[in-house]
Amino acid sequence: METFKQELIQMVVDITTEVKMNTGRMIFIKEDTIEIKEEKPKKEAKPKEPKEEISIESLTCPKCKSYLLKKGKTAYGCGNFQVCGFKIPFEFLGKQLNDKNVFDLLSKGRTAKIKGLAIPGNPEPVNAKLVMTGEFNFEVE
Ligand SMILES: [Zn+2]
């Protein structure tokens, strides 16, 4: 019985040591995590700018899905425009669309809200989103 008791005590000591060590490690891990979290947003904020660079002409035509888009004089159009007929005008409802607007239309099917759209029949300019319809036309949402 004596041997058993000693073994038991030894076991308890071992467990206690392990718990203490684990607790110690846990605290260190938490501290590390906090440090990393604090640094990350600062580092990520800067490289975002180059990602904003948009090349419409690297996108495939959404209608025929076969040709890259080309920049024309008044619109971006399908590389096979004669057959496909898809285009996005640079100017829509009196508003110059920027590359981000065009990119959003092509990739998401809608833009963010655009200010000052001149909608026929509306006396005041309207702030609205543009959407691409199922027929690859564009309209105000
Ligand atoms: Zn096309």
Side-chain angles (χ1 to χ4, degrees):
M1 283 302 281
E2 276 301 309
T3 324
F4 179 69
K5 265 187 184 174
Q6 275 180 353
E7 270 178 17
L8 198 70
I9 288 163
Q10 190 56 49
M11 268 174 70
V12 172
V13 171
D14 284 348
I15 290 165
T16 315
T17 314
E18 269 183 43
V19 170
K20 275 181 186 168
M21 280 172 72
N22 281 341
T23 313
R25 280 177 197 154
M26 285 293 281
I27 290 165
F28 282 120
I29 290 163
K30 275 181 185 171
E31 280 176 355
D32 283 346
T33 312
I34 290 163
E35 275 178 30
I36 291 164
K37 274 183 183 173
E38 278 175 351
E39 281 177 16
K40 267 190 175 177
K42 287 175 191 170
K43 283 180 181 175
E44 280 179 359
K46 281 180 185 175
K48 269 186 179 175
E49 283 172 25
K51 282 181 188 171
E52 291 293 319
E53 215 173 281
I54 296 159
S55 174
I56 305 298
E57 288 172 291
S58 67
L59 297 173
T60 309
C61 170
K63 191 175 176 183
C64 66
K65 297 182 173 68
S66 307
Y67 290 82
L68 289 177
L69 294 172
K70 275 186 179 175
K71 193 172 189 173
K73 281 180 185 172
T74 59
Y76 285 106
C78 177
N80 193 26
F81 182 76
Q82 301 293 339
V83 176
C84 168
F86 178 80
K87 68 173 180 179
I88 293 187
F90 297 150
E91 198 186 302
F92 191 71
L93 297 174
K95 192 78 187 176
Q96 202 75 24
L97 302 181
N98 60 34
D99 280 0
K100 177 90 171 80
N101 297 146
V102 175
F103 182 81
D104 284 347
L105 270 174
L106 291 167
S107 59
K108 290 183 261 179
R110 64 184 60 237
T111 65
K113 199 167 261 188
I114 296 173
K115 285 181 185 173
L117 293 168
I119 296 170
N122 260 46
E124 296 289 324
V126 172
N127 302 337
K129 295 172 181 178
L130 297 181
V131 294
M132 183 162 64
T133 67
E135 289 80 41
F136 302 100
N137 291 316
F138 305 99
E139 58 186 35
V140 176
E141 190 177 55

